């Protein structure tokens, strides 16, 4: 079960990371940490992709992973930019304090 | 000129007028700045719909306004002339149906139906002129034209003149589309369009809150019917593979009637009928029509008496092939019709608002039409529709003239003795009242008598239906003449100020009254009873004219055993009852005016029941609203505690919600179904909105929960 | 055997780092634990012979993103923030959702285990290193996504400038 | 090794190239040529020129396809596919971008946020939409989706000094990133199941698996959550009302139409491609989402007072109708989806444009109350808004009816009678809230006397969407033929 290491180990590892990222996203108040949780989720995806890539002995997975990283970087940059704009107007980065829009 | 191929132009003329009004109407009729006093809502309310006509400030209007008075009635007149031309040419054809198909409007892809045949739901932008639609376009354009003319006088001092005529023209356009359509889908276009225009016109006096409420009510109730109607259209398509009237009739022709029980044909017919009850104000969807009388009086005359509300009857007659195959649904139609007739007539007994009496009378007369249709006598239904259009339009216009004379007063208890002051109005209204009461020689007599005879003799009819109809005839005569006696006889009960201003309306209003009065007498002579066989054939023209429209099965119904002696006897009885009704009204309201009050006192709970429209609205209230308001509030409270925040935001909303509930509670004492439905929707709306707390991670949690449910569904499966 | 031990070591880094990141009160600490996780992921990339990705992970992620995050934390950090609750009021509900989905995912993965179980990685005939092959494929077959990614990054730059700059 | 960047590749890529090129050009010209704020509206001219070039590219592709009688033209080793479907949606995007751009300048000036980046982002977002509709490779589709989404995050938050706009952007970004994380997780499983990122290969690999394979289910569920989020179908809709309300109204219009249409194109590329073989598996999921969307969208809209929010809920319910067409899945249904998406775009755009015109200095113009008496003050706008409302409510003879008609017809053809009845019932509910707007315009007293902020651009855009909404309703034939061309074969 634990040895040898096969693709499924990576997939389970990835699922666990996805779960932790999701929990972080869902429970933390600080938006910066929520953004970090998104990074965890995307890293989980990358573990998957790289593991499959190795399994198929093909490069697509790795290439996909590069693009996922690019997307993660872009999202982080824009997200942090919006966060700064938000902080400038609201003086808070707590997720449960931004609820002007509702109902 | 070949008018037959130009029938597609008939609806377009009024559309042209309407578009013109929306485009340049505001320049032709610049809105004058309102004088301060007219801005006072209470004053406007107090002066009623004719506010500002006789008293107070007269806004000065641009001279180009006269152009509107020419254009809009003019377009309807052109349509009228084209209609006459087309119908005359139709009469010369051997095959009494002429279709003009412009292009395919809704293309459908072919698909296999249940029986393996390939259907193709294609609806044309096509028009069909046959005897039935011929009658309808004549009624619509003729009555429509005179009501337009009348409106020139009636709305002369109102602001928003161009809007009014624009809506009115738009309405005529949609109504003509409705009756000229050659398929159900296009009929539905007109069906929705007239609803929209009715809505806009009811709400025309938007400074009255009740008017805009009534508009909403009308629209929502109609929408309930429409949902059924559109499903019915799709059912027809599923059954026959087409929606064109002629093809549908042909396809249904071969089928045998569903006598075994309530099958798919009956369901289809029933769905269509539910649509018709919405538009034609039958039980249980009648509640909107009396409220619709908040609109200007010409609108009540045109839309809520003469044309739009008869669309349901027209549609049922149009679908006669389908109904003939569904005897159970026909029984439903006849029963609902008869019940509506007597029920509405009983309410009309005790109403004191002149327009409300007429409104309930309209509901009642529509019930008659459905009674006729339900017993398979479609031509009689259309005949009554035809005669009713004249005398009911006349009654409304006349009442408008009375209200005009009384400076906006609508309460009959404050009228009286107007006979000599407004003679033209009086005489024309008297003609209409005789007609609706069923006095021989006037139009209403012929059609109503034929309905009663068919109810008795048709294979679908029964003695019970006849009895209900006959009692209703007595009641009709009574309440109509109650109205006449209260309004025109006796002492004038108005205050001095109003009394001084009573005057006859200008000719632009009285001429339409006179023309319609002539119609109310003459229209009936097109369909005299069969017992009057001594008259030449042209007196039986109506039935003969419509004959090509009905498929054979439907037609047989009208040919019930014909015993002249029996027919004479029944006719005599109904005339006797009509005269009795008039005499009772005369006795009670002219000779012994103190009696009605004493009867009201002596009758125990009956009179208040009538006065309050049988407490229908209150019953709706008690059954549903009370329970919902209180129970729902409690459920909501618990919901909020249990779920999500339960916190500050929720509490704030609950307060607003609770106050909203109590606010509605007040208005509901006088309101029924629609508010109930609206309320029910709102009651569900709030919890749904509560889920949206504005808290971003809760949204994410819901997303995840959605995913959990989806995955769980597959894992369990 | 060595690779297995390394795998578990990296897995521990990844999951441990992630759990600590999610639970730390102080955002700076959380960011540092994120670095641990990212390093673990980089190690996994190395294990799976994705050397280029390993470099990208270290340079771009740890060098770029985490730095950016730290900057922002410094910029917006409020002392008050650190004293406030870590989790919001509904965290239990949210956690329940996440746990249910997680359980389902793991169940699904385990029941679909066969689909992924192949022989342990074969060493294929490799012409040149993994990075070289990657470049080869990336700039031929995946040229288009590469170009799209460049536009994506342009949008990200423009977007973050528009959002964060006071006057534009 | 096959040749890369062939002439075919170039030919297929031209529209996207033009969009990217002009997008960058607008960003550059913003400070190089038009430094003065007053001159910024000239950027719209550049945007339109860019769209003309894009359109020319599309036109050449279309005439190429038809002159050789081809169904599709693939490029970049099957990464991009130009077919009727892609062309149909791309034409729609071109039209929508132009209309949104020409109404924006006065609005942005009033909001004090008139920057050149706005127009650049519109073009770049459209570039992303191009790839969403044209891509047939998971990576390309994903990047296109992200490119669109990122541009929209920024545009939603474009009113940087307004709290509501910040908040909307933040929420949209967080949830968008989360959902696309799930989406790409699903994609990674697709890759794991098939060993390829090409949609055809994924489709083959999935078809080879037995129905109900748990891994397929997991991948499908994850992808479905991501995609349904983008099209704002319930229960993944919750970002939509907030983002719509907080965003600048012009961007709300673009988000509700362009982004939604692109997301549906994306959804159809995935669900009619790789997941077509798994139809029995995803059908219940989509039915659930569709019915829930109809319910939540229609019911929650009833008590809204903010028109933008009301339209957001209405757009959720429309997503439900479109999904129903996908569920029916026959030819009628798929044409119906294309028809509905386009028609929905025109009428929703029109409704939002009226709100744009209502935004005046010191007057937000988003409440239903703000529309009171519009018929008295500006009959033209009121009648147009009436047409859009009728169309949204699905009343004939407007375009909205044509869309609903096709969806209902498809449902009945494929025997989904229950769904047809549910759809019909919610049409009846919908009338209630659309008519609250009509009621305010036509049957209430005028409150506001300030003239509308109407510009030439707004008038043109309104005229276009009004003519389309009414024209398609009255004479749908040419439009239907275009939509019929868009079937994925």
């Amino acid at each position: 079960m634990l040895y040898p290491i096969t693709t499924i180990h990576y997939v389970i590892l990835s699922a666990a990371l996805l779960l932790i990222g999701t929990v972080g996203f869902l429970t933390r108040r600080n938006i910066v940490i929520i953004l970090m949780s998104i990074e965890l989720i995307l890293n989980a995806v990358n573990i998957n992709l790289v593991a499959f890539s190795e399994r198929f002995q093909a490069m697509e997975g790795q290439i996909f992973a590069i693009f996922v990283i690019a997307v993660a970087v872009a999202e982080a940059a824009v997200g942090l930019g919006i966060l700064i704009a938000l902080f400038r107007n609201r003086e808070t980065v707590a997720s449960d304090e931004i609820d002007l829009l509702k109902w | 000129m070949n008018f037959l191929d130009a029938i597609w132009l008939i609806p377009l003329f009024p559309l042209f007028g309407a578009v013109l009004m929306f485009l340049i109407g505001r320049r032709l009729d610049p809105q004058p700045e309102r004088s301060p006093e007219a801005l006072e809502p209470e004053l406007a309310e107090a002066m009623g719909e004719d506010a500002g006509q006789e008293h107070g400030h007269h806004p000065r209007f641009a001279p180009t306004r006269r152009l509107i008075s020419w254009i809009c009635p003019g377009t309807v007149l052109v349509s009228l002339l084209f209609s006459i031309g087309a119908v005359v040419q139709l009469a010369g054809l051997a095959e009494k149906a002429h279709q003009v198909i412009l292009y395919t409007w809704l293309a459908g892809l072919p698909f296999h139906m249940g029986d393996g045949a390939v259907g193709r739901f294609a609806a044309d932008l096509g028009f069909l002129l046959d005897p039935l639609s011929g009658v309808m376009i004549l009624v619509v354009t003729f009555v429509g034209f005179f009501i337009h003319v009348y409106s020139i006088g009636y709305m002369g001092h109102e602001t928003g003149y161009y809007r009014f005529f624009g809506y009115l023209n738009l309405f005529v356009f949609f109504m003509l589309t409705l009756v000229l359509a050659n398929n159900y889908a296009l009929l539905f276009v007109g069906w929705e369009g007239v609803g929209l225009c009715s809505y806009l016109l009811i709400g025309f006096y938007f400074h009255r809150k009740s008017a805009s409420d009534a508009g909403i009510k009308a629209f929502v109730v109609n929408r309930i019917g429409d949902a059924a109607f559109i499903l019915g259209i799709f059912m027809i398509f599923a059954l026959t593979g087409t929606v064109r009237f002629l093809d549908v009739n042909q396809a249904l022709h071969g089928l045998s009637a569903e006598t075994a029980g309530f099958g798919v044909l009956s369901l289809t017919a029933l769905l269509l009928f539910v649509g018709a009850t919405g538009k034609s104000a039958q039980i249980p969807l009648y509640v909107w029509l009396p409220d619709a009388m908040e609109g200007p009086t010409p609108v009540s005359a045109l839309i809520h008496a003469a044309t739009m509300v008869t669309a349901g009857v027209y549609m049922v007659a149009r679908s006669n092939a389908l109904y003939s195959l569904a005897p159970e649904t026909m029984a439903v139609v006849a029963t609902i019709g008869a019940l509506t007739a007597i029920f509405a007539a009983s309410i009309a007994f005790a109403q004191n608002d002149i327009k409300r009496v007429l409104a309930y009378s309209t509901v009642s007369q529509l019930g008659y039409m459905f009674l006729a249709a339900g017993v398979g006598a479609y031509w009689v239904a259309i005949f009554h529709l035809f005669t009713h259009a004249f005398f009911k339009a006349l009654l409304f216009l006349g009442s408008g003239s009375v209200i005009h004379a009384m400076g906006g007063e609508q309460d009959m208890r404050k009228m009286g003795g107007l006979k000599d002051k407004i003679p033209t109005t009086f005489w024309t209204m008297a003609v209409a009242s005789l007609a609706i009461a069923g006095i021989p020689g006037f139009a209403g007599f012929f059609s109503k008598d034929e309905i009663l005879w068919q109810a008795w003799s048709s294979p679908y009819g029964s003695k019970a239906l006849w009895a209900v109809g006959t009692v209703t005839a007595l009641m009709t005569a009574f309440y109509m003449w109650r109205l006449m006696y209260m309004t025109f006889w006796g002492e004038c009960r108005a205050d001095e100020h109003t009394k001084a201003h009573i005057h006859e309306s200008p000719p632009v209003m009285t001429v339409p009254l006179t023309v319609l009065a002539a119609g109310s007498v003459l229209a009936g002579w097109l369909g005299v009873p069969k017992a009057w066989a001594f008259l030449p054939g042209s007196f039986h023209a109506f039935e003969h004219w419509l004959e090509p429209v009905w498929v054979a099965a439907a037609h047989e119904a009208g040919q019930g055993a014909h015993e002249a002696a029996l027919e004479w006897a029944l006719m005599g009885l109904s005339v006797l009852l009509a005269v009795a009704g008039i005499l009772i009204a005369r006795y009670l309201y002219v000779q012994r005016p103190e009696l009605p009050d004493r009867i009201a006192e002596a009758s125990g709970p009956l009179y208040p029941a009538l006065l309050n429209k049988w407490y229908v609205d209150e019953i709706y209230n008690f059954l549903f609203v009370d329970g919902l308001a209180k129970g729902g509030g409690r459920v909501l409270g618990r919901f909020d505690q249990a779920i999500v925040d339960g916190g500050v935001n929720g509490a704030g909303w609950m307060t607003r919600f609770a106050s909203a509930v109590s606010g509605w509670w007040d208005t509901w004492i006088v309101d029924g179904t629609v508010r109930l439905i609206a309320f029910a929707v709102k009651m569900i709306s709030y919890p749904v909105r509560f889920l949206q707390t504005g808290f971003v991670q809760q949204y994410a949690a819901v997303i995840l929960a959605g995913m959990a449910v989806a995955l769980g569904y597959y894992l369990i499966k | 055997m060595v690779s297995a031990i390394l795998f578990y070591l990296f897995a521990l880094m990844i999951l441990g780092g992630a759990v600590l990141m999610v639970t730390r009160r102080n955002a700076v600490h959380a960011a540092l634990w994120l670095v641990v996780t990212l390093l673990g992921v980089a190690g996994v990339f190395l294990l799976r012979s994705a050397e280029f990705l390993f470099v990208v992970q270290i340079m771009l992620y740890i060098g770029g993103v985490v730095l950016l995050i730290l900057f922002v934390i410094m910029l917006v950090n409020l002392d008050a923030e650190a004293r406030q609750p870590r989790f919001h009021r509904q965290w239990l509900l949210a956690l329940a959702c996440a746990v249910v989905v997680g359980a389902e995912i793991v169940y699904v993965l385990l029941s679909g285990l066969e689909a992924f179980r192949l022989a342990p990685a074969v060493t294929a005939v490799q012409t040149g290193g993994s990075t070289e092959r990657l470049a080869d494929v990336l700039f031929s077959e995946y040229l288009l996504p590469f170009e799209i990614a460049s536009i994506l990054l342009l949008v990200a730059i423009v977007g973050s400038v528009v959002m964060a700059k006071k006057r534009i | 090794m096959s040749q890369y960047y062939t002439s075919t590749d170039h030919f297929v890529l031209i529209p996207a190239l033009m969009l990217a090129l002009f997008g960058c050009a607008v960003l550059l010209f913003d400070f190089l040529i038009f430094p003065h704020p007053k001159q910024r509206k000239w950027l719209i001219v550049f945007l339109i020129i860019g769209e003309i070039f894009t359109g020319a590219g599309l036109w050449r592709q279309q005439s190429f396809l038809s002159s050789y009688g081809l169904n599709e033209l693939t490029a970049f080793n099957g990464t991009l596919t130009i077919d009727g479907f892609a062309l149909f949606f791309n034409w729609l995007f071109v039209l929508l971008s132009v209309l949104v751009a020409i109404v924006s300048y006065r609005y942005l000036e009033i909001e004090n946020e008139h920057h050149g980046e706005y127009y650049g982002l519109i073009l770049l977002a459209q570039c992303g939409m191009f790839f969403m509709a044209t891509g047939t490779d998971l990576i390309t589709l994903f990047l296109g989706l992200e490119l669109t989404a990122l541009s929209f995050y920024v545009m939603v938050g474009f009113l940087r000094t307004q709290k509501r706009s910040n908040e909307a952007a933040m929420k949209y970004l967080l949830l968008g990133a989360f959902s696309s994380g799930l989406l790409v997780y699903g994609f990674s499983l697709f890759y794991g199941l098939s060993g390829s990122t090409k949609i055809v290969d994924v489709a083959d690999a999935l078809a080879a698996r037995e129905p109900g394979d748990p891994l397929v289910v997991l991948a499908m569920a994850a992808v479905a959550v991501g995609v349904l989020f983008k099209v704002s179908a319930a229960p993944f809709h919750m970002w939509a009302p907030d983002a719509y309300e907080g965003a600048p109204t012009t961007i709300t219009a673009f988000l509700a139409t362009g982004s939604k249409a692109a997301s549906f194109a994306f959804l159809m590329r995935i669900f009619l491609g790789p997941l077509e073989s798994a139809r029995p598996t995803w059908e219940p999921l989509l039915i659930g989402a569709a019915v829930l969307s109809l319910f939540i969208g229609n019911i929650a809209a009833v008590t809204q007072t903010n028109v933008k929010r009301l339209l957001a809920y209405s757009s959720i319910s429309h997503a439900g109708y479109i999904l129903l067409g996908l569920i029916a899945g026959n030819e009628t249904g798929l044409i119906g989806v294309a028809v509905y998406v386009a028609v929905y775009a025109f009428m929703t755009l029109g409704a939002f444009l009226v709100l744009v015109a209502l935004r005046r200095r010191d007057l937000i113009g988003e409440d239903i109350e703000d529309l009171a008496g519009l018929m008295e003050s500006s009959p033209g706008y009121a009648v147009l808004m009436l047409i859009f409302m009728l169309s949204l409510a699905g009343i004939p003879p407007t375009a909205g009816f044509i869309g609903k008609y096709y969806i209902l017809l498809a449902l009945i053809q494929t025997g989904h009678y229950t769904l047809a009845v549910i759809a019909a019932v919610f049409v009846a509910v919908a009338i209630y809230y659309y008519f609250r707007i009509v009621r305010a315009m036509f049957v209430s007293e005028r409150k506001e006397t300030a003239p509308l902020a109407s510009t030439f651009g707004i008038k043109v855009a309104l005229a276009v969407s009004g003519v389309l909404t009414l024209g398609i309703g009255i004479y749908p034939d040419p439009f239907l033929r275009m939509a019929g061309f868009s079937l994925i074969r």
Side-chain angles (χ1 to χ4, degrees), chain B residues 287-319:
Chain B
V287 285
W288 67 272
L289 187 54
D291 288 8
M293 298 305 158
E294 292 287 348
T297 307
V299 171
S300 312
L302 178 61
I303 300 181
H304 306 120
T307 57
M308 181 187 86
V309 290
T310 60
V313 182
Y314 166 77
M315 196 263 290
V316 170
R318 221 356 133 202
S319 321

Side-chain angles (χ1 to χ4, degrees), chain D residues 54-110:
Chain D
T54 311
L58 292 173
W59 179 254
R60 279 178 60 201
Q61 289 168 0
Q62 185 154 355
S63 46
F64 181 82
L65 284 184
S66 59
S67 64
Y68 288 88
L70 295 174
N71 269 340
E72 57 178 34
L73 183 65
T74 55
F76 292 103
N77 296 317
T79 302
L80 287 185
T81 304
I82 284 289
D83 50 10
F85 177 82
L87 286 172
F88 179 83
F89 277 97
N90 277 313
W91 282 120
L92 185 63
F93 301 149
V94 168
L95 185 60
L96 292 174
S97 304
V98 171
L99 292 183
V100 168
I102 61 176
V103 300
S104 295
Y105 62 93
R106 175 72 57 87
Y107 180 82
L108 291 177
E109 276 167 8
I110 291 175

Side-chain angles (χ1 to χ4, degrees), chain B residues 103 105 107 685 689 692 699 714, chain D residues 238 242 281 303 406 473-474:
Chain B
Y103 56 83
W105 173 44
S685 178
R689 285 180 67 188
Q692 192 92 15
Y699 300 179
Y714 292 112
Chain D
M238 300 185 87
D242 291 5
T281 318
T303 45
Y406 265 83
I474 292 171

Side-chain angles (χ1 to χ4, degrees), chain A residues 2 26 28 39 54-55 88, chain C residues 8 22 24 49 88 164:
Chain A
L2 291 176
L26 285 176
R28 289 303 300 254
E39 302 301 327
E54 175 81 358
R55 198 202 105 188
R88 197 177 284 145
Chain C
Y8 285 111
V22 167
R24 284 316 86 194
S49 58
H88 55 79

